[in-house]
Amino acid sequence: MDTNSSALRFLIVDDDETFSRVLNRAIKRRGYDTAVAGSAEQALEILTEFTPDLATLDLKMGGASGITLIPRLKALNPDIRILILTGYASISTAVEAIKLGATDYLAKPADTDQILAKLNGAEPDPDVEIADKPMSVGRLEWEHIQKVLTEHDGNISATARALGMHRRTLQRKLQKRPVREEH
């Protein structure tokens, strides 16, 4: 892949308008040609005329998830580098995104330098801090629900049955933000 940023095309798909505007401005200042979509559906329209070399995809948006765009992006450009950005980080969605072809995964908030470092292949850090305490019960529950939901292709009813939980209870749990871990 050409590392000269002036030739690279960058796609931003995120339903947070403020975040998209700030990221777009910062990416343009670094010499990239950019396109911004507020949804996966809008991104598909943009992709008819814009073939990106790099992309950031928001995981959870109003319509389809950003993950649904990975196969289409890879079909358009097999060398594309894709970063999944989300405020709803979970192990199962990170694994699923990587399996589908995403380059990496980053929890929000993330700044432009972090995003570009991940997309441009920053070396993994073997000295990354490992938590000295296990996840809380609430976080473990949330991670497990996300894993089972992924296994059932996002089908709420099938996931609720697999978890032995009422569908409405599951929907309420999914509407809550994930439990934040104390560091």
Side-chain angles (χ1 to χ4, degrees), residues 108-182:
K108 288 179 181 176
D111 66 32
T112 306
D113 292 331
Q114 291 172 310
I115 290 167
L116 289 173
K118 290 279 190 180
L119 282 169
N120 290 319
E123 288 300 312
D125 183 3
D127 298 323
V128 69
E129 190 175 316
I130 298 171
D132 24 342
K133 65 180 184 174
M135 283 187 224
S136 68
V137 173
R139 183 64 189 208
L140 280 170
E141 177 190 44
W142 193 85
E143 291 281 349
H144 182 64
I145 288 171
Q146 294 300 313
K147 178 181 177 288
V148 176
L149 185 63
T150 301
E151 289 169 356
H152 290 89
D153 299 321
N155 183 313
I156 301 289
S157 297
T159 301
R161 280 192 297 277
L163 292 169
M165 182 183 293
H166 194 279
R167 186 180 52 77
R168 282 193 212 115
T169 303
L170 176 60
Q171 286 175 314
R172 278 194 301 274
K173 287 181 180 284
L174 289 171
Q175 288 174 347
K176 293 181 182 175
R177 291 194 177 271
V179 177
R180 293 263 185 221
E181 292 297 305
E182 299 295 320

Side-chain angles (χ1 to χ4, degrees), residues 6-118:
S6 64
L8 297 179
R9 301 177 103 193
F10 198 114
L11 175 65
I12 299 164
V13 183
D14 200 303
D15 61 354
D16 180 335
E17 290 179 33
T18 304
F19 175 79
S20 294
R21 189 173 51 253
V22 170
L23 181 59
N24 184 41
R25 196 174 317 132
I27 295 295
K28 276 187 171 186
R29 270 198 307 258
R30 287 170 170 83
Y32 292 83
D33 182 15
T34 64
V36 178
S39 68
E41 295 78 10
Q42 187 181 10
L44 289 172
E45 292 174 25
I46 290 171
L47 292 175
T48 61
E49 298 176 14
F50 185 87
T51 302
D53 301 296
L54 303 163
T56 58
L57 307 176
D58 188 13
L59 177 71
K60 187 170 175 140
M61 296 183 284
S65 165
I67 286 180
T68 63
L69 293 170
I70 295 172
R72 174 86 168 121
L73 289 167
K74 292 298 251 182
L76 280 173
N77 178 358
D79 295 326
I80 189 170
R81 300 184 62 77
I82 302 167
L83 181 65
I84 299 294
L85 288 174
T86 184
Y88 299 87
S90 83
I91 294 165
S92 64
T93 52
V95 169
E96 198 60 31
I98 300 301
K99 281 183 185 175
L100 285 168
T103 306
D104 215 328
Y105 190 93
L106 193 59
K108 288 179 181 176
D111 66 32
T112 306
D113 292 331
Q114 291 172 310
I115 290 167
L116 289 173
K118 290 279 190 180

